[in-house]
Amino acid sequence: MVHTESATSGGTESTPIRPTPRAWLVVLAACAGQFLVVLDVSVVNVALPSMRTDLGLSATGLQWVLNAYSIAFAGFMLLGGRAADLFGRKRMFLLGLGLFTAASVAGGLAQEGWQLVAARAVQGLGAAVLAPATLTIVTAAVPAGPARTRAIGTWTAVGAAGGAAGGFVGGVLVDLLSWRWVLLINVPVGVLVLIGAALWLSESRTGARRRLDLPGAVLVTGGLASVAYGIVQTEEVGWGAPATLVPLFGGLALLAVFVAVEARTAAPLMPLKLFRSRAVSAANVSMMLAGSTSFAMWFFMTVYAQNVLGYTPLQAGLALIPSSVSVIVGSKLAPRLMPTTGARNLAVIGALVAAAGFGWQSTMTADGTFLTTILGPGILMMAGIGLLTTPLATLATSGAAPADAGLVSGLVNTSRTMGGALGLAVLSTVATARTAGATSPAALTEGYALAFRTATGVLLAAAVLMLLWLPSSGRTRPAEG
C-alpha cells in the first residue's frame, strides 16, 4: 500500500504521483469487501416472500430482516471507522469481513425468524467494522489527484453495483436454489476476499492511542434503532399511538444525549469539530437524503415487479439489470465530469436526473410495460444516483485530517446507509398508508407510486440544499481542532 499523509487530506499535488499496480490490487480488495456489504442491503429483497413462507415471519418481521442489517450497519459504522484509525485498517477489514462471513452462515441456516433477524444484525455489525476501512484503504493507497478521484469513483461504482446487483443475484439464487443461498453465497466470496486482503493489504493506522467511545456507540445505535422502530410501527398502529411515539421520542432523546456526550468526552466517537468543515457537513446530509431514496428504490421496484406485474424472482432481477448498469456508468462517468463541472454542480445535476427518474416512476400503473415502468425510469434514477455519489464522497473525505480519515469514511457510509434504513421505513409507511390494507394490484401500485412521488420531493430538496450549502470548489481544508 502506498502511504502518504496527503492521501487522506485535502489539497492537490504539484507533481501527480502515479499509483503502482500493487496499489490497484489494494483498491480491488477494498472494493470487493464494499461490494459484499452493500450487496447484502438489497439481495434479500426478492427472497422476502420465500422467507416469510418458510419461517412464518409477519409483515413487520420481514421489514426487520432488512432493517436489522441496515441499522446495525449504520449505527456501529462510526465506531468501526474510529477502530480502523486506532487499531489498523487491515486488521479491522479482516475482522469485519470474518464476522460478516460467519454471520452469513448463521443466517443461511436459520430455522426461526428471530434467528434470521439476529444473524442479519450481526452481519450489519461486521459490515460496520469492514466498510469504513474500505474507503480509507482506497484513499490511502492512491495519491491525491485525478488517480484518487478515479479510485473513489471505482469504490462508488462497486458499492452502487452491490446494491444494484442484489435483485438479480437474489432472484437467480432463489429461483435456482433457495432463499438461504442469498446469505450462504457470501461465504465462498468472503473467504476469497479474506485471502486476497491478507496478501495484498499492508497495515496502517494513525499511531494515536485513544480509547474507543463505547458509550457513544451504544447511544447512537440505540437512538437510530429506536427511531427506525417507531417509524415501522406506524404501519400497524399509526403515527399518534403510544407504540409509535414512545420509541420515536425515546430515540430522539438518546441521540440528543449522544451529542451531549460527544461534546464533553475526551475521546469522542464523533468529534463535533468535524462538522465545522462545510464540505463534511453538507456532503453527509446530502448523502443521507440520496441514500433514503436509492435503497428504497430497489425494494419498491422489486416488489412492484413481483406483486403487481407478476414477475418471478429471477425475472424481477433480470428486469433491474439495466438500472444496475446505469448506476455503474454514472459512478464511472463522475470522475471524468468533475474537473469540468465541479463537484458541487455534478452532485446537483445527479440529484436532478435521479428526481426526473423517480417522478417518471411515480406514474406507474398496474398494467405497466417493462419499457415505461421499469426500464426508462430505472435508468434515469440510478444514473443520477451514480453521478451524485462520487462527488459527495470526494468532498466529504477531502475535508478530513489524516488522523480522522477512517472516522470520516465511516461517517460517509453511515449517512448513506442510515438514510437508506430510515428512508425505507418512511416510504414503506407512506405506501402502506395509501393502500389502507388493500392488496389488489391497483391498490399496491397507488401505494408504490406515492412512495416514488415522495422520494422525488426528497431529491429535489437535496438538489437545492447541495446548491446552497456545498462548497463551490472541490478543494477543502480539514477542520481545525
Side-chain angles (χ1 to χ4, degrees), residues 114-452:
W114 69 266
Q115 295 172 350
L116 177 59
V117 172
R120 290 284 288 167
V122 177
Q123 266 192 316
L125 177 59
V129 175
L130 163 65
T134 64
L135 183 53
T136 310
I137 287 169
V138 167
T139 56
V142 183
R148 184 190 292 169
T149 302
R150 288 196 301 272
I152 292 177
T154 300
W155 176 87
T156 301
V158 169
F168 171 67
V169 173
V172 170
L173 294 172
V174 172
D175 264 16
L176 298 183
L177 297 169
S178 79
W179 67 262
R180 297 182 181 278
W181 280 94
V182 302
L183 299 173
L184 294 176
I185 192 64
N186 293 327
V187 179
V189 178
V191 170
L192 287 175
V193 177
L194 278 168
I195 294 171
L199 293 175
W200 297 334
L201 301 186
S202 23
E203 192 55 277
S204 67
R205 60 172 65 88
T206 62
R209 282 292 178 184
R210 295 188 292 175
R211 65 178 179 83
L212 284 175
D213 180 19
L214 292 177
V218 172
L219 285 169
V220 71
T221 304
L224 293 173
S226 184
V227 169
Y229 180 77
I231 294 172
V232 170
Q233 285 294 96
T234 63
E235 296 187 26
E236 295 184 357
V237 299
W239 284 96
T244 297
L245 295 177
V246 170
L248 271 178
F249 285 109
L252 292 174
L254 287 175
L255 293 176
V257 173
F258 167 72
V259 173
V261 168
E262 297 307 282
R264 298 173 65 88
T265 187
L269 176 66
M270 186 178 70
L272 300 183
K273 68 177 183 179
L274 289 177
F275 295 99
R276 297 176 192 168
S277 166
R278 181 177 167 189
V280 171
S281 298
N284 276 283
V285 172
S286 302
M287 190 76 83
M288 179 175 286
L289 292 174
S292 72
T293 62
S294 62
F295 282 30
M297 175 269 182
W298 296 117
F299 174 76
F300 284 113
M301 291 289 276
T302 301
V303 295
Y304 170 67
Q306 293 185 77
N307 295 343
V308 176
L309 301 183
Y311 288 19
T312 66
L314 178 57
Q315 289 171 332
L318 290 171
L320 293 176
I321 286 180
S323 304
S324 306
V325 172
S326 69
V327 73
I328 298 171
V329 171
S331 298
K332 294 301 290 181
L333 276 177
R336 299 177 181 273
L337 297 175
M338 279 171 57
T340 302
T341 64
R344 181 191 66 179
N345 292 339
L346 184 60
V348 171
I349 292 169
L352 293 176
V353 171
F358 275 84
W360 183 0
Q361 187 65 56
S362 71
T363 65
M364 62 208 299
T365 60
D367 57 353
T369 65
F370 169 71
L371 290 177
T372 59
T373 59
I374 292 182
L375 179 64
I379 288 175
L380 277 181
M381 285 187 282
M382 289 296 101
I385 294 296
L387 285 174
L388 71 85
T389 304
T390 297
L392 289 179
T394 301
L395 283 169
T397 55
S398 68
D404 292 324
L407 179 60
V408 173
S409 298
L411 188 59
V412 170
N413 271 309
T414 296
S415 299
R416 179 167 60 176
T417 308
M418 199 66 236
L422 294 178
L424 177 59
V426 170
L427 294 176
S428 294
T429 300
V430 168
T432 301
R434 173 54 63 93
T435 59
T439 57
S440 67
L444 291 174
T445 301
E446 287 183 8
Y448 302 154
L450 181 59
F452 279 104

Side-chain angles (χ1 to χ4, degrees), residues 55-98:
L55 300 179
L57 287 163
S58 65
T60 302
L62 279 183
Q63 188 155 333
W64 277 101
V65 172
L66 302 175
N67 281 338
Y69 180 82
S70 296
I71 291 170
F73 187 5
F76 282 102
M77 211 178 309
L78 292 176
L79 186 67
R82 179 54 81 197
D85 288 334
L86 299 183
F87 304 125
R89 284 77 188 252
K90 177 178 179 177
R91 182 177 299 169
M92 290 299 105
F93 184 96
L94 296 176
L95 175 64
L97 185 54

